[in-house]
Amino acid sequence: MRNFVLYLLGLVLASTSSTYSQWVKLNGPYANGSAYGIINTDSLICMATYGDGIFVSTDNGNRWIRGNSGLADEYIQSLAILGKNLIAGSLQTGIYFSTDCGLHWKQSTGVTGLATDAQCLAVHDSTIFAGGVYLGYFSTDSGATWQQLGGQVGYNGADCYTFLDSEIYAGSWNDGIYRSTDEGLSWSGTANPPSFQISAMVTFGNKIFAGAVGGLYVSTDRASSWVSSDSGRMAGLVNCIVTDGSYIYVGSNSGGVYISADSGTTWTQTDLYKSNPDVFSLAVKDSTILAGTGLEGGLYRSTDKGRTWHQLNSGHTNLAVPAVAGCGPNLLAGTAGGGMYISTDSGSTWTQSMNGLQGGNVSCIIVRDSKVYLGTVSQGVSLSTDGGWSWNAFGLYGGFTIQSLAVNVSFLYAGLNGGVSYSDTQSAGWMYLGNGLTCTDVRTLATHNGNILAGTWGGGVFRTTGSTWTQVNNGLTYLGVSSLAVERSNVFAGTFDGGVFVTANDGTLWKQSDTGLRDTNIHSVITDGSDLFAATDSGIYVSTSENVAWFFAGLEEDTAYTLALVGSNIYAGTPAGIFRRPLTQLYALLLSPPILATPRNDSSGAVDSIKLAWRKVANATSYRIQLSSDSMFSRILVDSSSVLDTCLEVEGLKGDSVYFWRASALDTTGSSGWSDTWTFTAGPLTAVRPGKDIPTDFALHQNYPNPFNPTTVIKYQLPVSNYVSLKVYDVLGREVAVLVERKENAGAYNASFDGSNLPSGVYFYRLQAGAFKRVKKMILMR
């Protein structure tokens, strides 16, 4: 049994490794993390990310090391440094400190209860102050141990601190600003800016600056009164404020970085917002500014007072990519959480493109007439007219997920998790198109022959010319439709758990087209002329619309969300980034249908025993032959799927009868479409050869049908009486069924196998009769 298991594993590995290796995983787009804190010293940069822990660099940000040893929580919200100690505040497990430049961490003591949410850290002289939910803490031993402050800062704890002379000021989210004159033993409320939602504070000379929802405010009388410092320019939320003694730097969630050289009287917006507008944290050292951004943008650095910025790529995790498209020679990648990225070198390097983009969770992209339309999760649609380098809001807000986009003439259609809306492509005047749409979870849209087709999750396909929807599911047996693709007169529908369907009349009648598909969970179907490509949970498949038979094209270990054809390559967006493969390699996988040779089409006078012959197909390992008494093949007389030669002898034909036959080529990944159907008329009967019903050799035939769901038939033959064992095994060599275990006489036999209680997958059946042993593979496909 052990040898048999190794044999099965060898078959599986041999069938998967060659195709998977042809896909190249691209260098990004990377998730650099949402950088909530930065420390910049002479020898170290330390970055705190929200979800990926802490990264440290000792070579000015060129290379990064993950320093998470000892961290029980990788959601780090704040960083501070005092002496040789680094201090990190986490979301759920309190405060940590490191004595070896952030490589290893120890959990501090004294922080318990609800205050384990350490939202901010601030250093004043030799004391560190920590703000958390409900309570504040302080440490006098470089963060190793902590004590509670004497009094409570508001009802929601402190979100930021600043210091003026001997006074401590604490800003609280929703509770405004509090002041302590006794080193934190007691607190009292002060005057507040128009917004009580205080997120950042800093002292510059005798001025106190407070960042809040709505902008930046300044007080010159120790928080007794406040005025706007930016005249409302910093819309949204001010996340952080720092100073180097000469300049003041502000990071906002929608405008990037602002700088003031005159004590906050005037402000200059830097160009960082064009790459990433959401700045969580800032650090300034000498002439270098480090900006920690959200939207998985990581760190940016400027050495010229914010005039130019360079992204410091930590490169630790590829972003999930649910949307890929080509715009001219460039490749566009819409990511889950990191916004848009553009590559001008086929995916080798990437540039984040957030200038004006609404939201970082991109769900779909469509390119039409040099315009790029982009759908997001909850942040509407954005439009770019310069190839994706800058964006303008295009409406459709309200918390919807834009799941699909399509253009028909001069209208843009959006499939939502709440129906379908449409707008003129030139303006964002959206209207709802819902009359007759009984299922509103619209996953995909397509336009064809003046119709709009909507694929829904649970309701199948709907069709409209622009007013009322009609459900068109005749023949569509799986109603979870994930993708629609158009090829000339045909529309293809990818379904969840049902494979691919095709219609030639815009949904009036659907036919299933899943021959060769080993995975029927379809995420995306795209077309390129007459060629088809399908993305599934376990790899990519390629086919042609003339003969819809699918061939496995690799990427077996990754779920593919989406596909795009750009230049001479095909790109697959996955949870682990983007993969690329040359199209020529996929086209080489396609098997051509055999060309029939003899007997010639419409010939007559053939004898009752006839040899069917066809031309050899390159790369084919076997052939499937069908013979029928009718042209529709509803009465099949011969169905052989394991013919190794290019001919097959058929006996027992009836005299003066018309027969139809066709052939298909097979390899290890799938089968071609059917050849042309030829017909011939058999001649008069001849005598039956004696003993022809007794086989002359042992044989184990390929099961039929294959793939099957859930039953199939296995044929075998014995030239002499023998003890027969026929068993079924899974890919690990475990026995799952015993079909035959007895002595049988010479002859031909059929054994039925029912896989109702087994999961989908590859199985093997093994026949042993005396010294004769054979193993064949079959596929159970639900």
Side-chain angles (χ1 to χ4, degrees), residues 40-44 244 249 283-290 302:
N40 189 7
T41 70
D42 290 333
S43 59
L44 175 74
D244 61 3
Y249 307 84
V284 181
K285 179 181 174 296
D286 300 328
S287 59
T288 298
I289 310 169
L290 293 180
S302 175

Side-chain angles (χ1 to χ4, degrees), residues 14 27 33 151 188 192 238 364 393 413 493 582 636 662 765:
N27 185 34
S188 59
N192 286 297
V238 171
C364 54
Y413 293 84
I636 295 177
R662 60 187 181 181
Y765 56 96

Side-chain angles (χ1 to χ4, degrees), residues 196-247:
F196 279 55
Q197 295 174 304
I198 308 301
S199 53
M201 298 182 73
V202 75
T203 302
F204 188 85
N206 66 340
K207 296 180 178 180
I208 302 174
F209 290 88
V213 174
L216 182 68
Y217 300 90
V218 61
S219 174
T220 58
D221 54 10
R222 297 181 181 270
S224 295
S225 62
W226 296 88
V227 295
S228 175
S229 176
D230 63 329
S231 300
R233 289 186 60 197
M234 301 178 195
L237 171 66
V238 171
N239 286 322
C240 54
I241 317 169
V242 299
T243 177
D244 61 3
S246 300
Y247 292 83

